[in-house]
Amino acid sequence: MTGVTGPGRPDILVLADGHGQHSRCVALRPLVLKRIGRLLLYVVLMGGAVVMVSPFMWMLSTSVTPAAEVFAWPPRLIPSALRVDNYREALVKLDFSRYFINSLIVAGVSTLSVLILDSLAGYAFARLRFPGRGVLFSFILGTVMIPVQVTMIPLFIMFRAVPLAGGNDLLGTGGTGLIDTYSALIFPGMATTLGVYIMREFFSMLPPDLLDAARIDGCSEFQAFCRVYLPLAKPALATVGMFTFTESWNAFLWPLILTTKPEMRTLQLGLSSYKDQYFADWHLLMAAAVITSLPIFLIFLVGQRQFIKGVALSGLKA
Amino acid sequence: MSLARELRRKPEALAGLAFVLPMVALFLVVRVVPALGALYLSFTEYSITDAPRWVGLANYLRLLDDDIFRRAVWNTVLYTVGTVFPATVLALVFAMMLDQKIKGLAVFRTAYYIPAVASMVTVSMIWLYIFNAQFGVLNYALSLLSIPRQGWLDDPALALPSIILIGIWKNLGYNIVIYLAGLQGIPAHLYEAARVDGANAWRRFWSVTWPLLLPTTLLIWLMTGIFALQVFDQIFVLTAGGPADATTSVVFEIYRNGFQYFKMGYASAMAFVLFAIILTASLLSLRLSARAFRY
């Protein structure tokens, strides 16, 4: 082998042997190959993107399809007429406006509570010295090991037996307790391990001198947290907020167990429960599916930088 | 002097405890106490109407002979292995393609990540429509290739693979994001050194990329594996465990026994079997990653 054609470039070697115009071929062929390679790369990436997104395109197109065309063969991606009325029917006839409000209350209050409790705890674990700090933090992290499926049966029994709630007597019997209430839907998700972890990481990166300065200025511990550190933590709060809201909004198993009355259903529950009832009405079901996923998609699209950075940094599944 | 410092530090200690107290109390009530309760229930027979009756190990022994539960464990393992590994390989391929100077990286990343943020229920509803045996678009695509219609979710042989397909599709975006972060952490000079040593692309992958990404890979296996072992939503929506228990999972059996048959003691025993499976899988993967980090 000659000095010019390194072992990493065998294509050049072959060409240089076969043709007289060394310099042109050496310069041109890799360039063309590279162009073809790049083109292929984009084609594969586009193909992948289409596969990933196309189910949502189907959802969107079916949601505005007239009822008669839902079973069309061949299936048509673009309906003959735009029927936006599907959405009105889904909201009114299928009662999805009620489910939407339920989901909003449950996810909204959960997120608010997580932001408060997780930032307080994350701040204390990162910045304050107090007895039992290490043990308590290990305890918080350790509870992740317990799957929700282990705790859900006793939790259901506990909520059902809350005294004086839902027609219960003092001993917690006779009624339904907190079953079918917002409180029970919200309570188990009022703080998250992931949130504490992210907040603690974030607060540890902030300079400790701020706290000393605040103390010298006469701030109480709580004021130092509220006025000095919390305003600096907006990016972390945004990440935790988006993760929590998404998870709470998408939750299915806990609301499924905890609600019996149709009017207490969340969106996810409403969607799955209408599957059998409105089996033929795919145009309505898909409109309902769009309504169900819209807030999450909006949050993701608006905050995706923060969102994806959060996923990549924590390595944790939102 | 030291007393003064102690006094100055006292508000800090008090505040620290006060700040973590709400969360610790909450976790005790919603995680620790219920977990202990479930352990107790797993040794009892409890139908919610009568008081729990102690039966010792009877629930666990019965699980050993329960054909449906065995089927559920097998399906859960198949689902986990069937989603986690293909989704890892595919994600690595796409992440490596995205890790070059690509125009529109953000657009691609968004497109790939969208299935991961949508709820499992929404996604299942959409796939229910796509998989429909009579008029679904997937069977239409097959008909163009002169392949007969398939009962994607009605055929016992196809139902679980169909659900696995959705699982791969949904996990891909998350894996890609994690892999992209991992790839960006590999110093460029290592590739240059390998190139100088004459390593071709294939060799560079196996001697630089793959070993350096091993911790990332194990993290993905851990996270998506734990998630997959808890598979429930899509099974509830798509097949309800059918046809003929072909798609039932451990969590689906916990739900069915606990909240449809009201055998809460028996369901709790199942939950502890799941706990044991998840714990074993996690420890195994943590063990592996401890080894991988030695690189």
Side-chain angles (χ1 to χ4, degrees), chain B residues 94-246:
Chain B
F94 276 101
M96 283 172 66
M97 288 197 282
L98 288 170
D99 191 37
Q100 306 181 37
K101 287 189 188 74
I102 290 286
K103 285 198 187 85
L105 171 69
V107 178
F108 281 122
R109 209 176 40 192
T110 309
Y112 291 130
Y113 202 78
I114 280 245
V117 288
S119 78
M120 207 33 146
V121 175
T122 321
V123 155
S124 301
M125 291 301 285
I126 301 171
W127 281 95
L128 196 61
Y129 187 52
I130 293 172
F131 276 144
N132 189 291
Q134 274 82 49
F135 57 86
V137 69
L138 199 59
N139 274 345
Y140 174 69
L142 287 188
S143 77
L144 295 178
L145 305 168
S146 312
I147 299 171
R149 290 176 184 191
Q150 305 290 326
W152 295 104
L153 298 165
D154 317 320
D155 181 342
L158 273 180
L160 191 60
S162 301
I163 290 177
I164 288 175
L165 197 74
I166 301 173
I168 296 172
W169 171 79
K170 196 158 190 323
N171 269 326
L172 202 57
Y174 167 80
N175 295 0
I176 289 175
V177 165
I178 302 289
Y179 265 137
L180 264 175
L183 282 169
Q184 276 148 19
I186 298 178
H189 68 81
L190 286 179
Y191 286 112
E192 271 149 40
R195 218 178 290 233
V196 169
D197 287 346
N200 60 21
W202 187 248
R203 276 294 304 274
R204 285 201 298 273
F205 173 78
W206 285 112
S207 56
V208 180
T209 315
W210 179 251
L212 283 171
L213 280 185
L214 206 56
T216 312
T217 305
L218 288 166
L219 173 77
I220 290 175
W221 286 351
L222 181 71
M223 296 308 297
T224 57
I226 291 177
F227 221 66
L229 287 170
Q230 302 176 11
V231 55
F232 174 77
D233 299 6
Q234 59 272 56
I235 287 169
F236 183 91
V237 173
L238 292 169
T239 60
D245 298 319

Side-chain angles (χ1 to χ4, degrees), chain A residues 107-118:
Chain A
V109 176
S110 301
T111 306
L112 199 68
S113 159
V114 163
L115 286 178
I116 296 169
L117 294 186
D118 287 14

Side-chain angles (χ1 to χ4, degrees), chain A residues 154-225:
Chain A
L155 268 181
F156 172 83
I157 296 168
M158 280 160 66
F159 279 118
R160 198 170 166 273
V162 172
L164 301 176
N168 274 353
D169 55 25
L170 258 174
L171 294 170
T173 55
T176 55
L178 291 180
I179 305 299
D180 281 318
T181 63
Y182 290 126
S183 329
L185 283 170
I186 293 166
F187 193 71
M190 283 181 73
T192 62
T193 310
L194 173 63
V196 175
Y197 182 79
I198 294 177
M199 293 315 296
R200 177 178 170 269
E201 291 290 292
F202 188 86
F203 283 123
S204 327
M205 288 187 309
L206 293 179
D209 331 351
L210 290 174
L211 183 55
D212 295 330
R215 280 177 184 154
I216 290 164
D217 285 349
C219 278
S220 72
E221 293 294 325
F222 186 69
Q223 282 169 332
F225 164 71

Side-chain angles (χ1 to χ4, degrees), chain B residues 5-6 19 21 27 32 60 68 103 110 112 154 198 208 212 220 223 229 254 257 277 283 291-292:
Chain B
R5 207 188 311 159
E6 195 63 30
F19 285 6
L21 188 71
F27 277 20
V32 178
Y60 290 96
I68 297 177
K103 285 198 187 85
T110 309
Y112 291 130
D154 317 320
V208 180
L212 283 171
I220 290 175
M223 296 308 297
L229 287 170
I254 296 173
N257 279 280
I277 295 173
L283 290 178
R291 202 174 299 170

